[in-house]
Amino acid sequence: MAHIPDGVLSFPVLAGGAALAVGGVALGLRRMDEAEIPKTAILASTFFVASLVAVPVGPSSVHLLLSGLMGLVLGLRAIPAVFVGLLLQAVLFGFGGITSLGVDLVDIAFPGVAAALIARPALARAQGWRVGALGAAVAAAGVAGTAACVSLALALSSADYVPSLRVIALTYIPLALAEAALTGGVVAYLKRVKPEALGLAEEAAA
Amino acid sequence: MATEALFCCDEAQARPWLDRLDARARIVAALAIVLCAVAIRSPWVLLAGAPLLLGFALACGLRGGEILARLAHAEGFLLVLLLMLPLTVPGPAWATLGPLEFSRPGVERAVMILLRVNLSALAVLTLLAGLEPSRFGHALARLGVPEKLAHLLLFAARWTELVRQEARRLHDAMRARAFRASTSAHSWRTLGHFTGQLLLRALERAERVDEAMRCRGFSGRFALVSDERFRARDLVFLAGLGCVLLGGLLADRAA
């Protein structure tokens, strides 16, 4: 959905995306203690598998990005985790490209992680139905951010793409709906069953 | 629910003589081809490159059906772009279909994108898709990717199959209770619980793995052992490819 293949974007956009991605991955790696590598990797493969699940929306179905949820569970470590997922997808399944990996990482991981980091303090205080609603809001904001970043990358690459952007943006609406509904469910479930999974206990201890 | 098509292509296919090359040479080669496909501006040079790459792919042991299946997979938004570009880019008409007018520059843009996307995908499919994730991770580490990142990739590739089996078990349990995914609040909540449960089990597995690794003295570093060597045939392969790509770039300058 948000995987831009090789050969669509212009060189400056690819280079800019790669530079931002390197910075993001470096930041995430610095936050990742070496002993945390196995845990982060297991979560990365879990998100990878969960994003293969086709969620029905009306007559068609979508594959989720789960970037908001990853941000909530992994924090900044979500950036290298998403990168690994994208790399495996690009190489093994041919989704997305290898020169566009940087742009794809910025498009997919950055908005979700940012939304999650902003929402985390509120989530720690939230009770009842607000927990699910916050989770849904984080997911929807992540998808909206992804749509905005993809549009920006295309618009900066070539003015010829601009008229198509409105149609492309429309395709993100079902994704945002499904993503919000599902993430809301997951966050409410995790907060009830295992709040540490959302990093809430960790935050309190730190 | 989970796309079966994705479940059955996880085994890396052997590429008889390509597998004798150093994995690093394959990564560098794939990157070089994709970069050239993006950089070349002349459609004729790209068109000339297509049969070369296709011939190389077939010589490496890829089957035609396999290639078609991979190239036919297009992202939704790529279809939008290919359809919209001929209609929206201003310029002299190339063809008209009722009220629709396909402009010449628009068609040219769409053809260029189609060529670049397919050439790049074919290069990745040929050179990288057959590489086992463990060899790929080791090669990346030896190419200078940070060790933490290489470890993350190796561990993630190792666990993806296990998590998949876990997901399949959960999915079977849901199906046994007559769950069918549809567009409904119940369905979405259930899928939310499914994802949450998958995450919980992964976290518990992560704790067990962490303890087991500590028992064996894991301190955050794994020795990356690989017996791959950069040999003369890798040099010949890369030099040959370099000549072809350089020729392409020069022809593009001249065109």
Side-chain angles (χ1 to χ4, degrees):
Chain A
M1 194 72 188
H3 297 63
I4 302 178
D6 289 316
V8 174
L9 300 175
S10 70
F11 255 120
V13 173
L14 291 175
L20 281 175
V22 167
V25 169
L27 196 66
L29 286 180
R30 193 182 283 179
R31 282 296 174 88
M32 184 173 68
D33 189 1
E34 279 167 340
E36 281 176 325
I37 295 175
K39 184 181 161 195
T40 311
I42 292 184
L43 289 171
S45 33
T46 306
F47 285 110
F48 184 62
V49 169
S51 70
L52 300 181
V53 174
V55 178
V57 181
S60 91
S61 66
V62 294
H63 292 277
L64 301 182
L65 300 172
L66 295 175
S67 59
L69 186 59
M70 287 190 84
L72 284 174
V73 176
L74 287 171
L76 280 174
R77 286 176 292 156
I79 297 174
V82 174
F83 178 74
V84 163
L86 285 176
L87 190 59
L88 287 176
Q89 273 183 331
V91 171
L92 298 180
F93 301 142
F95 293 148
I98 53 177
T99 52
S100 52
L101 261 179
V103 177
D104 286 348
L105 180 68
V106 173
D107 288 350
I108 294 174
F110 283 27
V113 171
L117 289 182
I118 293 170
R120 209 179 238 181
L123 194 63
R125 286 194 305 274
Q127 293 295 332
W129 62 271
R130 286 190 190 85
V131 177
L134 259 175
V138 168
V143 174
T146 299
C149 289
V150 169
S151 307
L152 187 67
L154 288 170
L156 287 176
S157 282
S158 164
D160 294 344
Y161 294 152
V162 173
S164 315
L165 290 180
R166 238 174 293 164
V167 182
I168 292 173
L170 283 181
T171 63
Y172 280 90
I173 293 176
L175 178 67
L177 283 177
E179 184 107 26
L182 191 125
T183 306
V186 177
V187 171
Y189 181 77
L190 285 180
K191 170 117 182 177
R192 213 166 49 232
V193 182
K194 189 164 179 164
E196 312 91 271
L198 294 170
L200 297 178
E202 264 174 53
E203 289 292 278
Chain B
M1 178 173 62
T3 326
E4 290 300 321
L6 289 176
F7 277 152
C8 58
C9 59
D10 51 346
E11 278 138 44
Q13 299 99 341
R15 307 250 187 275
W17 69 266
L18 211 54
D19 275 338
R20 307 214 328 248
L21 290 176
D22 191 325
R24 285 173 295 177
R26 283 165 71 168
I27 295 173
V28 170
L31 198 60
I33 295 177
V34 172
L35 280 175
C36 284
V38 179
I40 288 174
R41 291 169 182 282
S42 150
W44 304 112
V45 176
L46 285 180
L47 262 181
L52 280 181
L53 191 57
L54 199 61
F56 176 65
L58 292 172
C60 288
L62 272 82
R63 290 185 306 278
E66 199 182 344
I67 298 177
L68 269 183
R70 170 68 72 93
L71 296 187
H73 165 88
E75 294 288 327
F77 86 95
L78 196 60
L79 288 180
V80 173
L81 270 188
L82 292 180
L83 282 176
M84 293 283 286
L85 279 175
L87 296 174
T88 53
V89 177
W94 177 71
T96 48
L97 188 75
L100 300 177
E101 199 170 86
F102 299 96
S103 78
R104 204 183 169 79
V107 172
E108 278 167 8
R109 286 304 302 262
V111 168
M112 277 306 282
I113 290 180
L114 206 58
L115 277 171
R116 281 181 180 155
V117 167
N118 282 304
L119 280 175
S120 309
L122 187 55
V124 172
L125 174 66
T126 311
L127 287 160
L128 297 184
L131 212 53
E132 295 130 43
S134 63
R135 269 183 84 191
F136 182 64
H138 278 104
L140 283 183
R142 300 178 73 196
L143 280 170
V145 166
E147 213 163 277
K148 272 188 191 172
L149 195 59
H151 277 127
L152 197 59
L153 181 86
L154 287 169
F155 280 125
R158 164 74 182 81
W159 274 307
T160 299
E161 188 48 41
L162 284 178
V163 176
R164 256 184 206 174
Q165 287 168 8
E166 192 90 70
R168 227 177 276 178
R169 270 198 296 281
L170 278 174
H171 181 214
D172 286 347
M174 285 158 72
R175 273 222 314 242
R177 289 159 183 78
F179 173 74
R180 271 189 65 198
S182 65
T183 311
S184 66
H186 167 73
S187 185
W188 284 352
R189 199 167 49 235
T190 309
L191 285 175
H193 287 178
F194 163 83
T195 311
Q197 186 61 33
L198 200 62
L199 269 174
L200 279 189
R201 293 191 180 186
L203 279 169
E204 279 164 15
R205 184 190 291 274
E207 277 159 25
R208 288 199 304 275
V209 166
D210 187 41
E211 284 166 8
M213 289 181 69
R214 275 168 202 277
C215 282
R216 288 159 181 79
F218 180 67
S219 61
R221 278 201 58 178
F222 243 164
L224 290 171
V225 182
S226 164
D227 55 0
E228 285 196 75
R229 296 282 171 276
F230 195 83
R231 292 173 208 276
R233 57 171 169 253
D234 297 306
L235 195 65
V236 171
F237 169 67
L238 283 184
L241 180 71
C243 291
V244 173
L245 291 179
L246 200 65
L249 288 173
L250 287 176
D252 181 50
R253 266 292 160 77

